[in-house]
Amino acid sequence: MINKVKGTYDILPEDSFKWQAIEKVINDVSKLFNFKEIRTPIFEYSELFHRGVGETTDIVKKETYDFIDRGKRSITLRPEGTASIVRSVIENKLYASPNQPLKLYYKGPMFRYERPQKGRYRQFHQFGAEALGSNSPLIDAEIINYAVTFLKMLKIDNILIKINSLGDDESKALYKQKLKEYLKPNVDQLCSDCQRRYIENPLRVLDCKVDKFNPVLIEAPKPLDYLSHVAKTHFDKVIEALNAVGLNYEIDKSLVRGLDYYTHTVFEVEAKLETLGAQSTLVGGGRYNNLVASLGGPNVPAVGFAFGIERLILAMDSLETKEEKPFIHCFMIALGDEVQNDALKIINNLRLKGLIVDYDFFDKNLKGKFKQADRLNARFLLIYGSDEQKEKVVNVKNNETGEQTKVPIIEIYQYIKNKL
Ligand code: HAM
């Protein structure tokens, strides 16, 4: 037997309805906020993620799935969506479209070579959104509100919104210098990775998983204390807009996020639910005003978020939200070989009208057919034998009430529709 690859999993038929339910809410909420779906390839040239996500991030240093294709090109399975969306916006010149800001959302598999555990996989799925073209703090708040509204629609409301600002280029440069000065005498107290990070990109030291509780890092200077006037005004306006829409948040001065492209606002939303285990961050995001230009596009400011869909499923399991149990409208019970083809014709017509109909393909005995109908949670049984064939009717049995009626074949659809 060949097993699945470590860190991957199958979404089995008994669970796929949960995914479909979430995907429906994703589409519905995105429509409310007037975001349009974009779909990009699962693999891209490796350089996109090296330049986009950042050479010194853990994602690029340790976690990407890279391969050389048969044309000797270096290819990477996407570890996240933002860099690909920006690539597509530049390549398709969407930044020049008359509808600004561009409001895009996406969903699909992402790949990171991480240590698998509950809520953390090597192939996982994200629902992400990106708004490109506006530097307004109102759109930062809109993006956060969009993410939170989505959670509300899923009835996940025991959440904590954490928000911070990394500032603009000026603030980031000043902060980097202060952080470097602070870390210099303490470098030997950092883990070996952080000693390298200190030289390459000191900001990356702050989201080290190993040194999380190291007092040197806990007491380190915080970006929020080094904001330029422009960056502080931006952050204050985001906060005002969040207050205006009534969102509760916590300013978390230590939040820096694990990707290099952020400027100004960064945020995460956590849910404290048992089924989530240690991976309680449902969504992360922020503003990234330099990414489009650094990937060869014009100067286009942007802000976005991404949810981990597996974590949403885990969160919903702990809330025991009652998704509707899968059901079918009708199960056809054909009695005898001579009526089979007519029975198939009847069910096909019902399907074309929109009813979910199934059939016994094993030629079970009558008891077996009834059992199968129950297992499939059939609302109606269509019993069809040679007598019914002669009379051009079907015996329709309501599987819940037991009520049974002969219904002319041409009226079955309407009959069932009226009873649903
Ligand atoms: P991220 O924080 O790397 O941000 O990932 C976003 C979310 O994806 C996480 O909060 C988590 O729910 C989920 N996630 C990440 N890694 C895994 C994994 N190995 N297994 C399961 N779930 C995972 C980004 O990806 C940015 N592109 C977000 C963004 C969009 N920023 C601006 N625009």
Side-chain angles (χ1 to χ4, degrees), residues 7 9 53 59 63 79-83 106 110-131 143 257-259 261-262 267-269 279-288 291 302-312:
Y9 59 91
V53 175
I59 295 179
E63 296 170 4
E80 59 108 50
T82 312
Y106 52 93
M110 309 288 160
F111 306 85
R112 294 184 193 177
Y113 192 85
E114 291 198 86
R115 199 165 44 80
Q117 54 173 269
K118 193 183 203 177
R120 193 201 278 156
Y121 311 93
R122 290 185 175 170
Q123 174 174 330
F124 62 100
H125 296 76
Q126 281 187 344
F127 152 43
E130 316 290 349
I143 275 283
R257 311 256 315 122
L259 303 97
Y261 46 62
Y262 292 110
F267 73 96
E268 285 182 355
V269 179
Q279 304 305 316
S280 58
T281 306
L282 299 177
V283 54
R287 182 164 274 289
Y288 51 95
L291 185 60
V303 56
F305 66 67
F307 278 92
I309 300 184
E310 287 74 8
R311 295 185 192 177
L312 293 169

Side-chain angles (χ1 to χ4, degrees), residues 5 111 280 291 372 386 390 396 403:
V5 174
F111 306 85
S280 58
L291 185 60
Q372 190 181 354
S386 47
K390 270 183 225 130
V396 180
E403 181 195 356

Side-chain angles (χ1 to χ4, degrees), residues 152-344:
K152 280 186 192 154
M153 297 276 187
L154 294 178
K155 305 203 168 41
I156 302 173
D157 45 20
N158 189 6
I159 54 165
L160 173 64
I161 305 170
K162 298 197 297 189
I163 182 165
N164 193 19
S165 173
L166 304 180
D168 50 11
D169 293 342
E170 186 191 331
S171 330
K172 282 178 82 174
L174 175 64
Y175 174 66
K176 198 169 164 179
Q177 181 200 328
K178 293 286 171 198
L179 182 64
K180 239 182 156 158
E181 280 166 16
Y182 166 82
L183 288 175
K184 199 171 177 186
N186 301 307
V187 176
D188 54 348
Q189 292 175 53
L190 302 176
C191 74
S192 55
D193 265 348
C194 281
Q195 298 193 12
R196 169 184 53 77
R197 290 177 184 128
Y198 166 76
I199 297 164
E200 291 176 357
N201 184 358
L203 197 70
R204 291 276 62 90
V205 171
L206 297 176
D207 65 335
C208 172
K209 285 164 196 143
V210 180
D211 264 338
K212 215 166 157 182
F213 301 109
N214 184 338
V216 174
L217 296 191
I218 292 172
E219 282 151 34
K222 305 287 184 269
L224 205 60
D225 298 323
Y226 295 89
L227 294 188
S228 67
H229 177 68
V230 172
K232 177 149 189 349
T233 309
H234 185 100
F235 189 59
D236 289 346
K237 288 195 170 154
V238 176
I239 295 293
E240 273 170 32
L242 291 180
N243 290 338
V245 288
L247 290 184
N248 293 323
Y249 52 84
E250 180 184 293
I251 295 178
D252 179 351
K253 286 182 154 195
S254 302
L255 182 69
V256 292
R257 311 256 315 122
L259 303 97
D260 268 353
Y261 46 62
Y262 292 110
T263 52
H264 290 283
T265 317
V266 285
F267 73 96
E268 285 182 355
V269 179
E270 282 178 8
K272 289 277 172 254
L273 294 166
E274 239 172 65
T275 41
L276 278 170
Q279 304 305 316
S280 58
T281 306
L282 299 177
V283 54
R287 182 164 274 289
Y288 51 95
N289 282 354
N290 299 330
L291 185 60
V292 183
S294 77
L295 290 175
N299 215 345
V300 175
V303 56
F305 66 67
F307 278 92
I309 300 184
E310 287 74 8
R311 295 185 192 177
L312 293 169
I313 302 254
L314 288 170
M316 287 168 72
D317 283 349
S318 92
L319 295 171
E320 286 178 13
T321 37
K322 296 271 172 285
E323 294 98 353
E324 195 171 17
K325 194 178 161 209
F327 67 90
I328 62 170
H329 293 118
C330 310
F331 187 78
M332 167 59 89
I333 296 182
L335 306 170
D337 280 353
E338 65 285 3
V339 302
Q340 293 234 12
N341 287 336
D342 270 358
L344 290 177

Side-chain angles (χ1 to χ4, degrees), residues 7-65:
T8 68
Y9 59 91
D10 303 308
I11 301 169
L12 297 174
E14 67 252 32
D15 284 326
S16 56
F17 76 102
K18 296 181 191 170
W19 285 77
Q20 288 167 354
I22 287 194
E23 282 158 11
K24 184 174 180 313
V25 181
I26 290 174
N27 292 333
D28 290 351
V29 176
S30 300
K31 212 175 227 173
L32 295 180
F33 281 79
N34 196 24
F35 277 62
K36 302 270 185 317
E37 188 174 13
I38 180 165
R39 299 183 189 204
T40 60
I42 279 168
F43 53 80
E44 300 269 1
Y45 289 121
S46 303
E47 193 194 348
L48 175 69
F49 301 112
H50 285 241
R51 276 171 52 194
V53 175
E55 294 282 4
T56 57
T57 57
D58 275 5
I59 295 179
V60 167
K61 270 232 141 43
K62 303 180 184 171
E63 296 170 4
T64 49
Y65 278 88

